[in-house]
């Protein structure tokens, strides 16, 4: 158990809909990262938050947004969903902006299926 | 962005044997970190081993060791005495040491390791 909690574990929805994925980082971790894992694209970095502020952006679509709340949990919002958004979405956390070991601790992921 | 390449989509090894998974990366930085993560069928991403670029000594964690060739930008993972529980997808990852990069990991596309009895 990494200590990172993601909900829901599975989600099925229709095209055009909007969903919210939630992540609680390990206790004491200030940084949260979101990744998308699909069969053809592998693990793609979406966005990072550190202590409530956006820190880095990767290949995140404009239809997607995220935030980190004062209690450090984070939410990833996916809107106007398309079939191609079906993927496993991971949240990861680390202690600092530059964790000494560089290691990220991953949750179990949220499996999104868009029909 | 730094590119991480895993040229072996699938590998197979017999139980108790040794297998080596390959990884190369492209970077112009001198300070960075490299990782191998394991993703079993449970889909949880688990850190196997890490290597700091400034360290010349290859990292070792029990049956797992790396061959880090900085000049060649190569970072292979050796699994000794393979066990059935080692069957998983293995991802090589790169993290920049540059302070304004955000510290996200760049992953390769993975190598699926099958362990046969």
């Amino acid at each position: 158990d990494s200590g990172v909690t993601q909900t829901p574990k599975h989600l099925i929805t229709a095209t055009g809909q909007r969903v919210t994925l939630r992540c609680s980082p390990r206790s004491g971790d200030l940084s949260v990262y979101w990744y998308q894992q699909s069969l053809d694209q592998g693990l793609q970095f979406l966005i990072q938050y550190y202590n409530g502020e956006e820190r880095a952006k990767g290949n995140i679509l404009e239809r997607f947004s995220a935030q980190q709340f004062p209690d450090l949990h984070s939410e990833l919002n996916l809107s106007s969903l398309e079939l191609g958004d079906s993927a496993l979405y991971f949240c990861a956390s680390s202690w600092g902006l530059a964790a000494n070991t560089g290691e990220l601790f991953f949750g179990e992921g949220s499996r999104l299926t868009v029909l | 962005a730094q590119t991480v390449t895993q040229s072996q989509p699938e590998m197979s090894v017999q139980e108790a044997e040794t297998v080596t998974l390959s990884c190369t990366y492209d970077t112009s930085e001198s300070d960075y970190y490299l990782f191998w993560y394991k993703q079993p069928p449970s889909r949880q991403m688990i850190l196997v081993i890490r290597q700091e670029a400034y360290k010349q000594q290859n990292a070792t964690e029990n049956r797992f060791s790396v061959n880090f060739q900085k000049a060649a930008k190569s970072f292979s993972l050796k699994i000794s005495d393979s066990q059935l529980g080692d069957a998983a997808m293995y991802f090589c990852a790169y993290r920049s040491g540059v302070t304004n990069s955000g510290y996200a990991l760049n992953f390769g596309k993975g190598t699926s390791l099958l362990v046969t009895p």
Side-chain angles (χ1 to χ4, degrees), chain A residues 23-95:
Chain A
C23 169
S24 294
R26 288 189 323 158
S27 177
D29 282 359
L30 300 177
S31 271
V32 170
Y33 304 74
W34 286 98
Y35 282 83
Q36 179 192 56
Q37 185 180 26
S38 57
L39 283 176
D40 56 343
Q41 294 294 325
L43 272 156
Q44 296 287 315
F45 167 63
L46 296 179
I47 197 164
Q48 178 204 357
Y49 278 82
Y50 174 74
N51 204 20
E53 295 189 1
E54 182 183 306
R55 187 67 183 88
K57 254 184 176 179
N59 300 320
I60 188 166
L61 300 172
E62 286 191 8
R63 300 183 285 108
F64 296 179
S65 65
Q67 54 184 327
Q68 186 179 26
F69 295 87
D71 66 352
L72 300 178
H73 91 271
S74 178
E75 293 181 356
L76 178 66
N77 300 297
L78 315 175
S79 62
S80 302
L81 285 168
E82 302 175 358
L83 295 177
D85 297 327
S86 295
L88 189 54
Y89 290 85
F90 280 107
C91 170
S93 73
S94 66
W95 173 73

Side-chain angles (χ1 to χ4, degrees), chain A residues 2 9-10 33 35 37 40-41 43 45 48 55 90 97-104 106-109 111, chain B residues 33 35 37 39 42-47 50 52 89 91 95 99-109:
Chain A
S2 67
K9 285 186 169 41
H10 301 276
Y33 304 74
Y35 282 83
Q37 185 180 26
D40 56 343
Q41 294 294 325
L43 272 156
F45 167 63
Q48 178 204 357
R55 187 67 183 88
F90 280 107
L97 184 61
N100 289 339
T101 63
E103 178 181 357
L104 299 188
F106 284 81
E108 293 184 351
R111 168 76 67 188
Chain B
Y33 296 78
F35 306 85
Y37 275 83
Q39 187 179 36
S42 67
R43 79 191 191 194
Q44 177 93 52
M45 294 287 288
I46 303 165
L47 178 68
R50 76 173 67 84
E52 293 90 339
M89 183 72 82
F91 292 94
R95 198 210 87 177
T99 55
N100 65 351
S101 71
Y103 301 104
L105 302 186
N106 287 342
F107 286 89
K109 289 193 180 297

